[in-house]
Amino acid sequence: MKVDFTDKEMIAYKELLIEKKKEKPFWEKKCLSVNETAAYTGIGRGKIRELMKVKDCNFVTTDGYQQYVIIDKFVKFIINRQEI
């Protein structure tokens, strides 16, 4: 199957891909890396990684190898704990 694109279509598609790659500020994201979570919450990276290993942890998701924190669930988790 051959797909023909005009130059305008190719340019528009390329611009769309570039726009998708632009990163949102971390405070607008739903899932954050450990570094972003530390910056957002003020909790250290080591402590965040330690909390990610807790048995009742429901705020971690993965994208292959990388682990991300679902920030809404993490904040609720922190609020419900008596100590960190």
Side-chain angles (χ1 to χ4, degrees):
M1 175 189 240
K2 185 178 179 184
V3 179
D4 290 327
F5 291 106
T6 64
D7 288 334
K8 289 181 183 179
E9 287 177 305
M10 288 298 284
I11 292 169
Y13 182 69
K14 184 177 179 182
E15 288 173 354
L16 178 67
L17 290 176
I18 291 169
E19 189 66 31
K20 281 185 178 182
K21 283 192 165 201
K22 288 184 181 176
E23 255 189 68
K24 293 181 185 179
F26 66 85
W27 57 86
E28 292 181 3
K29 295 180 182 180
K30 294 184 182 202
C31 295
L32 303 177
S33 68
V34 173
N35 290 340
E36 291 170 331
T37 303
Y40 183 80
T41 62
I43 300 171
R45 293 178 307 191
K47 189 64 174 181
I48 292 169
R49 286 190 182 97
E50 184 181 317
L51 292 170
M52 291 168 79
K53 295 177 184 178
V54 173
K55 187 175 183 180
D56 61 342
C57 167
N58 66 344
F59 55 83
V60 176
T61 187
T62 60
D63 179 17
Y65 178 74
Q66 180 73 33
Q67 289 187 323
Y68 294 96
V69 175
I70 303 168
I71 197 61
D72 295 338
K73 290 184 178 184
F74 181 70
V75 170
K76 288 178 187 175
F77 177 82
I78 295 299
I79 290 171
N80 291 331
R81 291 185 62 100
Q82 292 182 3
E83 62 181 39
I84 296 178

